[in-house]
Amino acid sequence: MALRVPKSTLPQLFKEGYKFQQGVDEAVLRNIDATHELSEVVRTSMGPNGRNKMIINHLEKLFVTNDAATIIRELDVIHPAAKIMVMASQQQESELGDNTNLVLVFAGELLQKAADLLKLGLHPSEIVQGYELARDRALSILEELSVDKVESLTDRDQLLKTIKATISSKQYGYEEFLGNLVVEAALNIMPKNPKDFNVDNVRVVKVMGSSIHESRVVRGMVFGREPEGIVQNVTKAKIAVFTCPLDISQTETKGTVLIHNAKEMLNFSKDEEKQVENTFKELADAGVKVVVTGNGIGELALHYLNRYNIMAVKVLSKFDLRRLCRVIGATALARLGTPTPEEMGDCDIVETVEIGSDRVTVFRQESSEKSRTTTIVIRGATQNHMDDIERAIDDGVNVIKAATRNPLLLPGAGAVEMELNKRLQIVASKTPGLNQHAIKKFAEALEIVPRTLCENAGLEATAVISRLYAAHYQEGNAGLSVGVDVENETDGTLDATKAKIFDSLVSKYSAYKLAADSAITILRVDQIIMSKPAGGPKPLKKEGHWDEED
């Protein structure tokens, strides 16, 4: 009697339109293929010689960048397994702001190695078990591999060595110049207790024109527009902040005014003017010297502001307005009126400075105990270039923040990955059972970092990797910090510690943990069930104006 194999019951369980995939071939290996595609996209952007990607997002905005965080934010990834990796990378970006590319590349390589084991016949749960053991062992070994530490967070040279590698991976060749800007900005706002260091206090303002070498650090908060009235500079200023427009308030309902003669006509507008004048006179009497608004300023309001020598500044970004309130200790008011002394802010100097051909407004607090803010003014020929420099600066500031949490530094240039590889291979050889295969593959996956650095720099990857293996397998820890020399001055290898190429321990620790966790999560999936997308047919995109007749 023939054996009757029952069909899958899933189609009867769900409504029409559901998609489902199950089993190793359909679910697991397809997931691995999708994640490999994503990691290959960002892999070529890794390291100092990383290539740029040109991305046009759904709003048709152009991005030219090699920053993985920006690439995955602008790519609309819809595959559920790839989304898990994207979320892990975004978590790394929000927590530490650096090594986002490493999360994607390493997780993709772990899954690729897992695919080899699956084809050999291992069960996903056996691979998961081995990967978990390898992850825990790797994270414990990582702390033993530190070769230096940040001795003092107020020392310029100590901070500079921390951020050099991070900035050179984004802006290779400008790491010294940009590193000095970031360190100067960080030291300007470094609190007495470095653990209270706030990355929000370092702002970036982009002023188009000139070259990157004209970029500089300005103490205080800079806004890229000049004041509206004739008052340009104020010292020891009391500041009122409004989110509403400084203008004659419009009534909600429309009314009709009947005017009988010319005298009534003159008096009608006079009363209105008197009301506006009283508002600004009260502000001047309260000692307000600067008015900041997040909206427009009417002509009549500007006339009275000039008459009472009040400086008027327009700040259109609500985030900048909020940050300014924090710096000057003010409360933003939603309606026009005289603020109470508690609602007013104060600032030592509000001045207009010329940067290039643009005039900008600077709010500066001179005394050190007040909330200090510093701004890095970036100059550049194109908006895309300035955006990329801003991302490099942002990463540099985040690495300094990471150093306040843990000052230990690891050797960079792929040296720490090769050393971890060596140590995990030793662990694998001593591990009984099937777990040893997964631990071995985990160790091999670490090789992807130095290999990628070689490939992106145009070196012969296999030859350089074999030299790195030879260096790391020397007696003792002689080859601990031997990494890839992307400039290829000798044989493609260098001592990362002597070359002062360091990575932050806390950042690498988090990246490996998130990458391994996301890879393990994806390997645990054995079925994908997708419901039918909601909504009707999408409207056709029509060229020209939609209201025009055909």
Side-chain angles (χ1 to χ4, degrees), residues 205-210 216 222-226 352-361 377 379:
V205 167
K206 292 167 281 194
V207 179
M208 189 86 92
S210 193
R216 60 194 173 101
V222 177
F223 295 106
R225 58 190 299 155
E226 60 181 318
T352 311
V353 179
E354 201 164 303
I355 296 174
S357 58
D358 294 32
R359 291 173 72 77
V360 297
T361 311
V377 179
R379 307 300 308 279

Side-chain angles (χ1 to χ4, degrees), residues 206-496:
K206 292 167 281 194
V207 179
M208 189 86 92
S210 193
S211 76
I212 184 173
H213 297 288
E214 295 297 312
S215 304
R216 60 194 173 101
V217 175
V218 179
R219 288 179 81 100
M221 220 170 158
V222 177
F223 295 106
R225 58 190 299 155
E226 60 181 318
E228 303 300 310
I230 54 171
V231 185
Q232 300 283 310
N233 297 328
V234 182
T235 53
K236 297 275 181 262
K238 281 189 176 176
I239 303 173
V241 182
F242 299 102
T243 55
C244 60
L246 304 182
D247 208 350
I248 302 157
S249 52
Q250 301 288 329
T251 53
E252 282 183 21
T253 54
K254 285 185 179 177
T256 308
V257 179
L258 196 63
I259 292 168
H260 295 93
N261 51 40
K263 194 178 177 187
E264 281 181 11
M265 178 74 179
L266 288 167
N267 289 342
F268 173 70
S269 58
K270 246 180 206 162
D271 285 350
E272 203 169 42
E273 285 172 25
K274 206 170 274 179
Q275 190 190 345
V276 176
E277 184 179 5
N278 283 342
T279 307
F280 292 109
K281 189 173 185 300
E282 283 169 16
L283 279 174
D285 292 343
V288 172
K289 286 185 181 177
V290 180
V291 171
V292 179
T293 177
N295 237 305
I297 301 172
E299 284 180 13
L300 193 62
L302 194 57
H303 165 72
Y304 287 116
L305 283 166
N306 288 339
R307 181 186 280 189
Y308 290 109
N309 272 337
I310 297 173
M311 187 181 192
V313 181
K314 213 192 275 187
V315 178
L316 296 176
S317 160
K318 64 178 181 184
F319 300 108
D320 278 350
L321 203 65
R322 217 175 285 165
R323 201 178 273 142
L324 178 66
C325 286
R326 198 172 68 230
V327 170
I328 61 176
T331 306
L333 303 175
R335 60 180 184 78
L336 195 55
T338 310
T340 62
E342 293 80 38
E343 290 169 335
M344 277 186 228
D346 55 89
C347 186
D348 295 338
I349 296 171
V350 182
E351 61 183 351
T352 311
V353 179
E354 201 164 303
I355 296 174
S357 58
D358 294 32
R359 291 173 72 77
V360 297
T361 311
V362 182
F363 286 77
R364 194 157 75 233
Q365 300 283 30
E366 292 289 296
S367 50
S368 57
E369 61 271 3
K370 287 183 186 168
S371 172
R372 288 182 294 179
T373 306
T374 195
T375 306
I376 299 172
V377 179
I378 297 173
R379 307 300 308 279
T382 64
Q383 193 62 40
N384 272 319
H385 187 215
M386 290 193 296
D387 288 344
D388 231 22
I389 295 166
E390 183 184 6
R391 290 181 200 113
I393 287 171
D394 188 47
D395 278 7
V397 175
N398 278 307
V399 168
I400 291 175
K401 174 68 181 168
T404 64
R405 286 166 56 177
N406 188 335
L408 294 176
L409 299 172
L410 299 167
V416 74
E417 282 79 13
M418 290 307 290
E419 189 62 24
L420 262 180
N421 176 337
K422 168 191 150 184
R423 307 237 178 147
L424 283 175
Q425 293 278 18
I426 296 164
V427 170
S429 63
K430 293 175 183 173
T431 307
L434 290 170
N435 288 342
Q436 63 176 293
H437 299 295
I439 296 172
K440 204 163 181 240
K441 288 290 181 189
F442 191 100
E444 284 171 22
L446 286 159
E447 197 189 284
I448 192 70
V449 176
R451 184 175 290 279
T452 304
L453 291 174
C454 292
E455 285 172 7
N456 290 349
L459 306 178
E460 206 176 315
T462 313
V464 175
I465 296 285
S466 62
R467 286 189 208 114
L468 287 176
Y469 270 118
H472 282 267
Y473 275 93
Q474 290 172 40
E475 283 298 311
N477 285 340
L480 168 67
S481 54
V482 177
V484 179
D485 178 9
V486 291
E487 290 173 357
N488 195 18
E489 286 177 358
T490 50
D491 61 348
T493 64
L494 54 66
D495 190 314

Side-chain angles (χ1 to χ4, degrees), residues 58-114:
H58 61 291
L59 299 171
E60 295 186 2
K61 188 181 176 194
L62 173 72
F63 292 85
V64 181
T65 180
N66 63 353
D67 179 43
T70 310
I71 293 167
I72 60 166
R73 189 173 63 243
E74 298 308 328
L75 291 176
D76 210 1
V77 178
I78 57 162
H79 193 281
K83 258 189 177 167
I84 291 171
M85 273 169 56
V86 167
M87 286 191 282
S89 185
Q90 284 170 340
Q91 183 66 19
Q92 175 77 1
E93 172 67 15
S94 64
E95 274 186 32
L96 291 147
D98 187 29
N99 276 325
T100 45
N101 204 335
L102 178 63
V103 175
L104 292 166
V105 170
F106 185 49
E109 188 64 13
L110 280 176
L111 289 166
Q112 204 58 29
K113 296 289 182 193

